């Protein structure tokens, strides 16, 4: 784990509820794709956010923060970042946390599974796998409640088009009649598309209750628990 100070370069809305934050660390940030950082608000108050950017970019860290409700965990963190941005002061970070970073050395096909802002966690891995020319199939499933929450759809379609072994599959839970793709829960779309998850390594992020359900359903669908990764596992039974 690396302790860093960083300037807040920019905060911009991605949707009505999700913000992109760009941080410039005072020294090169060292982390692996799939790691998270903690924004230090106080000695015992550290807020976890996945790093959306690739580890190849050591001089800028990108976060996607889903913040609604004035007193929410994420909104308080966002307010802290906004104040630092306006004042031009630095924020304190702990970088390179977690045990669910991507493991290309396994050379297995990969499912990247994101619910909502869990997108941030898998985005870093998707970019890293493209940079290292990963040769196994990589299936990137992103589930959202409404189509308007697919703020990086065009970017991910371009990512998928860049390699013949990459696929991007957006899944909208409450879709309009015009929506052509998968609907419902994102992990159910995975189970519809893939007969057995036995050969796959699975990386996932989303709400804690979602992760518990996905873990159990995927194991019933052939997935090997030793090849399933989510930092949320540390927080749930
Ligand atoms: C280490 C760590 C890092 C984190 N990093 C971030 C971060 O960078 N940014 C951030 O905003 N939060 C982060 N969080 C918090 C957490 O990941 C988010 O609260 C969560 O991703 C929010 O999801 P959402 O509200 O966007 O999803 P929603 O909009 O509620 O759901 C999106 C989709 O997820 C699926 N889903 C949701 N609930 C269920 C369910 N019960 N069963 C099956 N599928 C379901 C569905 O497909 C749904 O359409 C982090 C937490 C930890 C522990």
């Amino acid at each position: 784990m690396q302790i860093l100070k960083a300037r807040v370069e920019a905060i911009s809305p991605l949707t009505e509820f999700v913000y992109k934050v760009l941080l410039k660390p005072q020294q090169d940030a060292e982390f692996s794709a799939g790691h998270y950082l903690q924004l230090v608000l106080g000695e015992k108050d550290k807020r976890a956010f996945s790093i959306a950017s690739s580890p190849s970019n050591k001089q800028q860290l990108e976060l996607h923060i889903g913040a609604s409700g004035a007193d929410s965990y994420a909104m308080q963190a966002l307010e802290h970042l906004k104040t630092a941005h306006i004042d031009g002061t630095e924020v304190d970070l702990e970088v390179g946390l977690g045990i669910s970073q991507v493991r290309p050395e396994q050379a297995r096909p990969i499912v990247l599974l994101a619910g909502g802002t869990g997108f941030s966690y898998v985005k870093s891995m998707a970019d890293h796998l493209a940079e290292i020319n990963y040769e196994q199939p990589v299936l990137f499933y992103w589930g959202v409640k409404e189509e308007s929450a697919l703020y990086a759809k065009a970017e991910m379609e371009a990512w998928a088009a860049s390699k013949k072994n990459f696929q991007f599959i957006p899944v909208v839970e409450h879709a309009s009649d015009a929506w052509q793709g998968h609907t419902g829960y994102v992990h159910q779309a995975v189970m519809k598309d893939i007969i057995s998850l036995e050969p796959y390594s699975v990386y996932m992020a989303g709400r804690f209750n979602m992760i518990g359900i996905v873990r159990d359903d995927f194991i019933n669908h052939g997935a090997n628990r030793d090849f399933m990764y989510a930092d949320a596992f540390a927080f749930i039974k």
Side-chain angles (χ1 to χ4, degrees):
M1 192 256 293
Q2 191 186 20
I3 295 176
L4 285 178
K5 287 192 179 296
R7 287 204 181 278
V8 183
E9 281 191 328
I11 301 178
S12 52
L14 292 164
T15 71
E16 194 181 343
F17 303 111
V18 183
Y19 293 83
K20 177 163 95 176
V21 177
L22 296 176
L23 300 169
K24 179 153 183 49
Q26 69 179 184
Q27 63 192 87
D28 283 358
E30 303 294 345
F31 63 101
S32 298
H35 271 153
Y36 66 91
L37 61 70
Q38 290 191 136
L39 175 67
V40 181
L41 298 191
E43 203 181 319
K44 292 195 172 151
D45 185 358
K46 299 173 183 183
R47 314 268 170 127
F49 296 103
S50 300
I51 304 169
S53 38
S54 162
S56 60
N57 188 354
K58 295 173 184 293
Q59 301 194 355
Q60 190 182 63
L61 298 168
E62 180 174 328
L63 308 180
H64 296 185
I65 300 185
S68 61
D71 281 333
S72 67
Y73 174 98
M75 192 58 100
Q76 289 167 356
L78 194 65
E79 287 304 324
H80 181 81
L81 291 161
K82 276 184 183 164
T83 305
H85 185 222
I86 292 164
D87 296 349
T89 54
E90 288 174 319
V91 293
D92 293 304
L93 305 176
E94 295 177 355
V95 175
L97 299 167
I99 54 168
S100 303
Q101 70 278 11
V102 73
R103 290 153 164 85
E105 66 282 3
Q106 289 176 348
R108 288 163 64 92
I110 288 177
V111 169
L112 301 174
L113 180 86
T117 53
F119 176 79
S120 180
Y121 164 70
V122 287
K123 172 70 164 71
S124 175
M125 292 191 271
D127 286 344
H128 179 66
L129 292 168
E131 286 167 13
I132 64 170
N133 286 313
Y134 193 65
E135 288 180 354
Q136 294 285 326
V138 181
L139 309 179
F140 188 128
Y141 283 84
W142 185 17
V144 293
K145 291 224 151 81
E146 316 284 342
E147 202 178 329
S148 60
L150 289 172
Y151 55 81
K153 182 164 173 280
E155 190 182 346
M156 293 323 299
E157 283 167 349
W159 169 86
S162 74
K163 300 267 189 301
K164 64 178 188 323
N165 51 318
F166 288 1
Q167 273 187 64
F168 169 63
I169 306 103
V171 183
V172 180
E173 193 177 333
H174 310 295
S176 69
D177 291 344
W179 176 250
Q180 307 262 321
H182 278 303
T183 58
Y185 282 155
V186 60
H187 78 290
Q188 284 170 348
V190 174
M191 296 190 295
K192 247 183 230 158
D193 290 351
I194 299 174
I195 294 170
S196 167
L197 286 164
E198 197 272 326
Y200 288 84
S201 292
V202 181
Y203 298 87
M204 59 176 100
R207 290 182 178 271
F208 288 170
N209 57 344
M210 167 189 168
I211 296 302
I213 290 165
V214 176
R215 177 194 55 198
D216 299 346
D217 285 357
F218 275 12
I219 287 171
N220 286 331
H221 203 72
N224 183 336
R225 176 65 187 83
D226 292 342
F227 293 100
M228 295 172 79
Y229 304 97
D231 282 317
F233 288 157
F235 296 85
I236 60 177
K237 274 196 295 173

